[in-house]
Amino acid sequence: MERGVEWNFEPTLDRIAALMDVLGSPQHSYPVVHVAGTNGKSSTTRMIETLLRERNLRVGRFTSPHLVSMRERICVDGVPLSEERFAEVYEDIEPYLKMIDAQGRRLSFFETLTAMAFAAFADAPVDVAVVETGMGGSFDATNVADGVVAVITPISLDHVDYLGPDVATIANEKAGIIKPGATAVLAQQELPAAETLVRRAVGVNATLAREGLEFGVLGRELAVGGQLLHLRGLKGTYEEVLLPLYGSHQAGNAVCALAAVEALTAGDDPLDPELVRQAFLQVRSPGRLEVVRRGPTVLVDAAHNPGGIQATLEAVHESFGFAKLIGVVAMFADKDVRGILELLEPMTDQLVVTRNSSPRSMEPGELAALAGEIFGPDRVHRADRLDGAIDLGIGLADEAGEFGGAGVLITGSVVTAGDARLLLKAEEVT
């Protein structure tokens, strides 16, 4: 049944709440860790899930958007629903969807997926669900759940047409997932966002856990394939934690995930340090500064706003130290394209612009014209398809490689990252 497009956002919980009622409120049959923010949500969600699974709990994970397959969004025991199970879950709730539709309250695409996730988790059944918001917080469909732990990753400008024109307004929307009596795990934030989130937490009598105050990263150093972390959680200190992901932003995500799991755990004792080390060693975050090819090194990253691009570029500089960097970029036309290009310009020697598979993708000619204003036309190359753009980027890196190490960064959108992973035959997303 046609449910419209995912990015058509209407700020109301009325429809999804009505559906949950007729389904018997499956979202209340297990504790929920709820994750919102602008950047780092999916990585943090995956880390929380991995820590919980290492404690022998059955975990449901709901993330969005997907990289390749819709089934990636709904996982039980770390595995996406099979095609058969995905269809079965939809068929199970379809009569109830029609019931709400018939009342003149047609459920959206994302609301339908959210309901499927909550129903699948209840049916499994899971011991705990880790649920990432789609967009915002207060009026996100996932907010029919009451998270016992609410995690807010770094907030920056994105989706301004829907969430508001400044960081404080966006933070106010995302703060809506902090429920009365919950624990609010807050990543380091810009001051206006931090003030808004703390005000909400205090107002609903939530327990505050702030990165840099109640918990934080005590130290980090580069390691082969990632970084070695020294973390201070809410209940203990954890040393020599190897995280196979790049960048200080992933270290921040890791310590937020650690604090969230500590907050969910009864008692005051710290987690088993060896359990923590084993869990983080297993963490994967596909499409997040992921190495998908060597010789030359090709990185795929889903960053799609200035905050995300800035974190990505810092991580590339720190962890790879390429003599030259070739960018391959496809972005949605409704994003801060100029802001992203301006951040890429100082660190990218040459740029290949293209389009991805989404109808929202900016046309290559328009993107090339804008990039030419910022980079100068001699540094900008255009390809009308992503496969051709990747080939061109690798060719440029090979040429530059004669004079030192060169790498290729494919970025600009989650869709771009997913398309590139498919084209480059990266490992299946789980």
Side-chain angles (χ1 to χ4, degrees):
M1 183 179 291
E2 177 59 42
R3 292 284 164 188
V5 293
E6 183 167 14
W7 55 90
N8 186 11
F9 174 73
E10 184 181 348
T12 177
L13 294 181
D14 292 349
R15 294 181 302 269
I16 185 71
L19 178 60
M20 290 295 102
D21 284 347
V22 297
L23 289 175
S25 300
Q27 79 279 17
H28 294 150
S29 60
Y30 38 78
V32 169
V33 179
H34 207 171
V35 183
T38 304
N39 293 307
K41 296 193 300 295
S42 291
S43 294
T44 304
T45 298
R46 284 174 165 273
M47 292 177 192
I48 295 168
E49 176 204 33
T50 306
L51 282 162
L52 292 170
R53 291 188 63 222
E54 192 66 21
R55 301 187 70 230
N56 294 316
L57 295 173
R58 193 170 204 198
V59 185
R61 183 184 83 218
F62 183 57
T63 54
S64 63
H66 58 275
L67 282 167
V68 178
S69 168
M70 187 85 66
R71 295 182 295 107
E72 297 165 24
R73 300 186 184 214
I74 306 173
C75 294
V76 176
D77 289 333
V79 179
L81 297 187
S82 68
E83 291 181 5
E84 295 77 14
R85 181 61 184 142
F86 192 88
E88 188 179 80
V89 172
Y90 179 79
E91 289 166 2
D92 286 346
I93 72 166
E94 187 177 21
Y96 303 97
L97 293 172
K98 291 179 177 178
M99 187 185 304
I100 305 303
D101 289 346
Q103 298 172 4
R105 297 185 288 182
R106 186 171 182 75
L107 286 140
S108 70
F109 173 91
F110 185 71
E111 288 168 338
T112 302
L113 276 177
T114 302
M116 288 174 62
F118 286 140
F121 297 158
D123 192 59
V126 300
D127 297 310
V128 59
V130 190
V131 176
E132 175 189 350
T133 60
M135 186 193 303
S138 295
F139 292 109
D140 189 81
T142 62
N143 207 31
V144 290
D146 294 322
V148 293
V149 180
V151 182
I152 312 288
T153 66
I155 294 171
S156 59
L157 293 178
D158 200 6
H159 302 297
V160 292
D161 291 346
Y162 297 105
L163 303 181
D166 53 58
V167 165
T169 306
I170 294 171
N172 188 60
E173 166 63 18
K174 294 181 187 291
I177 72 162
I178 303 173
K179 300 297 177 65
T183 298
V185 175
L186 309 182
Q188 288 190 330
Q189 305 285 350
E190 295 180 30
L191 184 58
E195 290 175 340
T196 300
L197 296 172
V198 169
R199 191 179 307 117
R200 164 70 181 188
V202 171
V204 298
N205 198 32
T207 301
L208 266 173
R210 296 159 291 183
E211 182 185 359
L213 293 173
E214 283 78 20
F215 67 94
V217 178
L218 297 179
R220 52 185 293 271
E221 57 187 87
L222 296 182
V224 176
Q227 52 191 311
L228 196 64
L229 305 179
H230 182 195
L231 305 176
R232 178 169 62 86
L234 298 174
K235 298 179 180 180
T237 299
Y238 307 84
E239 299 181 355
E240 296 187 343
V241 176
L242 181 59
L243 178 68
L245 300 174
Y246 302 102
S248 62
H249 62 294
Q250 292 290 16
N253 292 337
V255 80
C256 285
L258 176 65
V261 173
E262 286 180 312
L264 193 66
T265 306
D268 296 323
D269 293 335
L271 303 178
D272 178 352
E274 187 57 30
L275 179 151
V276 171
R277 282 191 283 269
Q278 286 299 317
F280 277 119
L281 192 60
Q282 300 170 48
V283 167
R284 300 293 181 270
S285 194
R288 276 71 183 179
L289 211 54
E290 180 183 14
V291 178
V292 294
R293 174 178 164 159
R294 299 281 188 183
T297 299
V298 178
L299 304 169
V300 169
D301 192 83
H304 55 273
N305 55 52
I309 289 287
Q310 182 66 43
T312 292
L313 291 172
E314 289 173 2
V316 169
H317 176 71
E318 174 188 77
S319 301
F320 295 92
F322 297 124
K324 291 186 180 296
L325 181 65
I326 312 300
V328 176
V329 174
M331 288 182 271
F332 291 169
D334 58 354
K335 294 295 182 179
D336 183 4
V337 177
R338 178 177 289 276
I340 290 170
L341 291 173
E342 287 174 346
L343 288 170
L344 284 167
E345 190 277 328
M347 289 191 61
T348 308
D349 293 272
Q350 298 189 69
L351 190 74
V352 182
V353 299
T354 186
R355 63 164 300 128
N356 59 41
S357 61
S358 171
R360 297 166 67 194
S361 186
M362 179 177 277
E363 289 300 322
E366 186 180 355
L367 184 52
L370 184 56
E373 295 175 15
I374 296 165
F375 283 73
D378 292 344
R379 292 167 60 198
V380 177
H381 309 263
R382 170 182 165 181
D384 289 333
R385 292 181 9 166
L386 183 58
D387 54 355
I390 293 172
D391 287 344
L392 179 53
I394 291 172
L396 290 168
D398 282 336
E399 291 175 16
E402 297 174 13
F403 308 101
V408 178
L409 173 64
I410 306 170
T411 191
S413 165
V414 176
V415 176
T416 303
D419 291 348
R421 292 186 88 259
L422 197 61
L423 289 166
L424 291 165
K425 296 181 172 58
E427 291 181 10
E428 185 177 353
V429 178
T430 57

